[in-house]
Amino acid sequence: MSDSVLLARAFHYACKCHAQQKRKGAAGEPYVNHLADVARRVAEATNGTDINLIAAALLHDTIEDVGVSRDDLVIAFGEDVAALVVEVSDDKRLDKAERKRLQVVNAAGKSDRAKMLKLADKASNVRAMVVSPPGWPDRRKRDYADWAEAVAAGLRGVNETLEVELDAALEALRAHYR
Ligand code: ZN
């Protein structure tokens, strides 16, 4: 499969999987906007050198949010893309607090590519909270920023650009809700 075919297929697959989902923010954007944002961030931060990582960014919530299986992704996109998506997916059998705790604990043990994807994901989510705030109390937004920063602590050292983007987004969020 050529790189452009892979990306077009991944984008189409993500659009189908997340067709009914919207972002939590006030603008109620289509969920796929987040996937495109994460894919753009990893693509730019790696100068477009890792096509499978960009495809995995488009697909990164298909297992967690839609119940797509690892095998489905292997068949459609190959082992490498599927493994990346698995690596950034939480285990939905656990409760939310435990999943959030494990993200902090497990971050440092991820592969460098999964770390980049997770950094881009956190930057996208934190930035979205500034641009299109969810109807959360300020306290909850501050807690989210603290948690995202704790996860990111284990993700640092693999990509300077993504770290700078995340730090800028965290600063912007905290400026709103200090
Ligand atoms: Zn995400």
Side-chain angles (χ1 to χ4, degrees):
M1 194 176 350
S2 75
D3 288 357
S4 51
V5 170
L6 173 66
L7 276 195
R9 283 191 187 168
F11 187 52
H12 183 224
Y13 194 96
C15 288
K16 282 193 293 183
C17 283
H18 299 279
Q20 309 303 323
Q21 245 176 302
K22 289 192 184 305
R23 296 287 278 160
K24 285 190 278 272
E29 287 177 288
Y31 196 82
V32 70
N33 285 26
H34 165 64
L35 307 171
D37 184 39
V38 176
R40 174 193 61 83
R41 287 172 188 274
V42 296
E44 289 178 355
T46 58
N47 292 313
T49 52
D50 190 341
I51 195 74
N52 282 353
L53 184 59
I54 303 169
L58 289 169
L59 299 165
H60 78 269
D61 283 324
T62 55
I63 291 178
E64 212 175 286
D65 288 355
V66 196
V68 166
S69 73
R70 183 186 196 286
D71 289 346
D72 295 334
L73 293 178
V74 170
I75 291 163
F77 302 105
E79 278 287 349
D80 186 50
V81 171
L84 279 166
V85 176
V86 167
E87 212 186 337
V88 300
S89 296
D90 289 348
D91 182 349
K92 287 294 266 251
R93 292 168 300 187
L94 305 172
D95 69 39
K96 189 160 183 205
E98 179 64 0
R99 296 200 305 264
K100 292 190 81 166
R101 189 187 72 81
L102 285 175
Q103 281 205 33
V104 177
V105 171
N106 293 335
K110 300 283 178 194
S111 69
D112 286 0
R113 294 158 86 212
K115 284 179 181 175
M116 287 191 258
L117 212 172
K118 287 186 73 73
L119 275 171
D121 187 32
K122 292 286 175 281
S124 176
N125 284 333
V126 172
R127 181 60 72 185
M129 241 177 247
V130 178
V131 175
S132 174
W136 294 358
D138 288 358
R139 166 92 240 162
R140 188 172 169 193
K141 289 172 186 154
R142 282 197 299 271
D143 287 349
Y144 183 86
D146 291 346
W147 171 75
E149 188 162 49
V151 176
L155 305 173
R156 293 183 189 273
V158 292
N159 191 291
E160 176 89 35
T161 303
L162 292 169
E163 284 187 33
V164 168
E165 287 179 8
L166 176 61
D167 289 338
L170 282 168
E171 198 180 315
L173 181 62
R174 287 181 170 137
H176 277 66
Y177 307 110
R178 67 174 89 255

